[in-house]
Amino acid sequence: MKILTKTEMQAAMANTKIKAEIKNGGSFVIELMPEYAPKTAANFEKLVKEGFYDGLKFHRVIDGFMAQGGDPMGNGMGGSDENIPGEFAINGFEQNTLSHQRGVISMARSANPNSASSQFFICYDDASFLDGQYAAFGKVIEGMETVDAFLDVKRVGPEGGTPTEDIVIEKMSIL
């Protein structure tokens, strides 16, 4: 049995990092934080490894709130084949204390607390009113300016959140 050095041990314990490359330029890196939402982080990582997010778009972008993507239908109504349990306080999961602040990534869901599957959102500003109600599971650690640039795309619709030009995830990959 090999004894790991402190550096090797830290590397083995490091959280997974995922790079998202956007079709029209730019990229950002997400650090998954399974210490807050282990099943949610594992599900996201699995979908990234399967190439699920490649070619999908951010279908909802709202100033001062968030950018949402991960829907294969592209309209907020779709998801992957599997739903995951909601890892947040109102669903009896108390360990998720990651606050919805700028750069935090969280799972979107319907009114059913166990309906999350593939749709996620990235917070632009303080959205702590979502704490305990949605499964925050990571944070953008590099390239938040790319996510901010989504706000430059003209948007329409009831919330003024539907981009008129597709913002496409060309590829997501594990670093």
Side-chain angles (χ1 to χ4, degrees), residues 22 28 58-69 99-106 120-130 139-140 143-153 155 160-161 163 167:
I22 304 303
F28 57 92
F58 282 88
H59 63 275
R60 191 169 171 229
V61 178
I62 300 176
D63 291 281
F65 184 31
M66 58 88 210
Q68 183 173 333
S99 184
H100 289 80
Q101 300 297 318
R102 178 169 170 76
V104 166
I105 182 171
S106 188
F120 64 92
F121 60 92
I122 300 168
C123 299
Y124 281 119
D125 291 313
D126 177 356
S128 56
F129 61 92
L130 299 176
K139 183 170 180 145
V140 174
M144 191 62 189
E145 65 277 2
T146 297
V147 181
D148 288 338
F150 300 170
L151 295 167
D152 297 335
V153 175
R155 288 159 282 136
I167 302 167

Side-chain angles (χ1 to χ4, degrees), residues 28-140:
F28 57 92
V29 176
I30 298 163
E31 179 180 357
L32 298 183
M33 298 177 169
E35 61 271 27
Y36 295 104
K39 288 180 182 170
T40 304
N43 178 67
F44 192 81
E45 184 173 343
K46 175 184 82 107
L47 292 172
V48 168
K49 285 178 179 172
E50 292 172 355
F52 181 87
Y53 293 109
D54 299 354
L56 299 187
K57 65 183 181 177
F58 282 88
H59 63 275
R60 191 169 171 229
V61 178
I62 300 176
D63 291 281
F65 184 31
M66 58 88 210
Q68 183 173 333
D71 173 13
M73 293 175 68
N75 62 8
M77 303 302 288
S80 66
D81 294 336
E82 185 182 341
N83 288 354
I84 54 174
E87 293 178 309
F88 41 84
I90 66 162
N91 207 31
F93 191 85
E94 300 294 332
Q95 92 183 42
N96 193 341
T97 57
L98 182 58
S99 184
H100 289 80
Q101 300 297 318
R102 178 169 170 76
V104 166
I105 182 171
S106 188
M107 290 305 285
R109 62 174 179 82
S110 70
N112 176 345
N114 298 313
S115 62
S117 74
S118 63
Q119 289 190 49
F120 64 92
F121 60 92
I122 300 168
C123 299
Y124 281 119
D125 291 313
D126 177 356
S128 56
F129 61 92
L130 299 176
D131 293 356
Q133 301 176 65
Y134 289 83
F137 65 96
K139 183 170 180 145
V140 174

Side-chain angles (χ1 to χ4, degrees), residues 136-175:
F137 65 96
K139 183 170 180 145
V140 174
I141 58 167
E142 287 175 35
M144 191 62 189
E145 65 277 2
T146 297
V147 181
D148 288 338
F150 300 170
L151 295 167
D152 297 335
V153 175
K154 183 180 179 201
R155 288 159 282 136
V156 296
E159 297 173 296
T162 305
T164 57
E165 201 178 300
D166 288 348
I167 302 167
V168 178
I169 301 165
E170 190 165 17
K171 181 160 186 58
M172 267 199 191
S173 51
I174 307 290
L175 294 179

